[in-house]
Amino acid sequence: MATISPGSIPQTTGTERFDGLDPEQLIRAFRWMHMARRLDDREVALKRQNRIFFQISGAGHEAIQTAAGMVLRPGYDWFYLYYRDRALCLALGVTPLEMLRQAVGAADDPASGGRQMPSHWGHRSYNIVSGSSPTGTQFTQAVGCAEAGRYRKERSDEVTLATSGDGATSEGEFWEALNVACLKKLPLLFLIEDNGYAISVPVECQTAGGSISSLVSGFPDLLRQEVDGTDFLASYRAMKAAAEYCRE
């Protein structure tokens, strides 16, 4: 397990200090994170005005999601996301206007033509596969996608990303997916965004020992990293290492 803390950021100069990211990339990352939070706030206001009828916040998840979006390749890699992944979708290319069209159920919503629930992300252009309300179903779907990718010889290094909150890791699909992914050595990256609560149940009431990373320590060939998802640079390093491991 690689545990990364803010104190481990190397004290160097230039782009090396920021893990090779130049000023333009850092500003872009900040804008995605800021935009995600502002969209959250706007949708909360719209819901209180009864202009939209469903909203899921991604507040606090922005740094790790933005890092993931910058490391992975939209339209090349595949994405099985969960409902808090607003900043990740922005980093992959989904626009604020497209997100608001989904929120109000507009016919020109690219995710589903207004037929899918808001925050159930999907976009054909970026390989974001439409999610469903039963949490955890994305895990086994992502396994199938990662295995299918092996038959695409022209894109032999594509990665499939499956994201989730900590709550869905208590469901069977998570463990089934991990087992098959390790058995077949699939290029599948699991991003578990543990915010301490599964909707309303605290992690200590559903996860033995309170650590998902410790629970999966017995799976062979599984690279595990535990990172502060609110630290952008630490998140970027962790996601970059994970993606490179999967591509290899």
Side-chain angles (χ1 to χ4, degrees), residues 35-62 82-87 99-100 102-105 116-121 133 199:
M35 178 62 70
R37 185 66 64 92
R38 293 305 302 272
L39 282 168
D40 260 0
D41 294 343
R42 174 53 55 190
E43 287 190 358
V44 169
L46 290 170
K47 189 171 183 294
R48 289 172 177 168
Q49 297 165 0
N50 287 326
R51 295 185 178 183
I52 65 174
F53 302 97
F54 184 83
Q55 200 275 340
I56 290 287
S57 174
H61 295 237
E62 296 92 349
Y82 95 122
Y83 44 66
R84 300 195 193 277
D85 286 332
R86 183 186 301 278
M99 291 185 174
L100 291 172
Q102 185 186 33
V104 300
Q116 178 64 290
M117 291 183 67
S119 300
H120 288 47
W121 314 110
S133 292
I199 302 295

Side-chain angles (χ1 to χ4, degrees), residues 11-212:
Q11 301 300 311
T12 56
T13 60
T15 58
E16 291 183 4
R17 180 182 178 189
F18 301 108
D19 296 282
L21 296 171
D22 60 38
E24 182 179 346
Q25 290 173 305
L26 292 168
I27 293 171
R28 190 183 308 127
F30 172 78
R31 285 177 172 165
W32 282 325
M33 289 186 280
H34 181 68
M35 178 62 70
R37 185 66 64 92
R38 293 305 302 272
L39 282 168
D40 260 0
D41 294 343
R42 174 53 55 190
E43 287 190 358
V44 169
L46 290 170
K47 189 171 183 294
R48 289 172 177 168
Q49 297 165 0
N50 287 326
R51 295 185 178 183
I52 65 174
F53 302 97
F54 184 83
Q55 200 275 340
I56 290 287
S57 174
H61 295 237
E62 296 92 349
I64 185 69
Q65 292 177 14
T66 299
M70 294 178 70
V71 166
L72 297 173
R73 307 170 186 172
Y76 186 92
D77 298 322
W78 293 85
F79 303 91
Y80 289 78
L81 309 184
Y82 95 122
Y83 44 66
R84 300 195 193 277
D85 286 332
R86 183 186 301 278
L88 176 50
C89 288
L90 287 171
L92 292 175
V94 182
T95 68
L97 178 58
E98 289 172 336
M99 291 185 174
L100 291 172
R101 283 173 173 167
Q102 185 186 33
V104 300
D108 50 0
D109 155 40
S112 67
R115 296 173 176 86
Q116 178 64 290
M117 291 183 67
S119 300
H120 288 47
W121 314 110
H123 206 294
R124 184 185 296 267
S125 299
Y126 308 122
N127 289 352
I128 303 173
V129 182
S130 181
S132 58
S133 292
T135 58
T137 55
Q138 68 270 32
F139 292 129
T140 48
Q141 294 166 1
V143 167
C145 180
E147 185 170 9
R150 287 187 162 169
Y151 297 93
R152 296 163 61 90
K153 300 299 183 182
E154 73 279 7
R155 288 163 54 170
S156 60
D157 67 338
E158 68 180 34
V159 170
T160 299
L161 173 69
T163 68
S164 169
D166 50 289
T169 63
S170 295
E171 299 179 25
E173 291 95 337
F174 176 67
W175 300 95
E176 293 168 18
L178 273 177
N179 181 58
V180 176
C182 291
L183 179 67
K184 296 180 177 292
K185 295 182 171 61
L186 298 177
L188 178 55
L189 200 166
F190 296 87
L191 172 57
I192 306 302
E193 303 171 40
D194 181 0
N195 58 19
Y197 276 87
I199 302 295
S200 59
V201 181
V203 67
E204 60 268 19
C205 293
Q206 60 148 2
T207 302
S211 171
I212 298 161

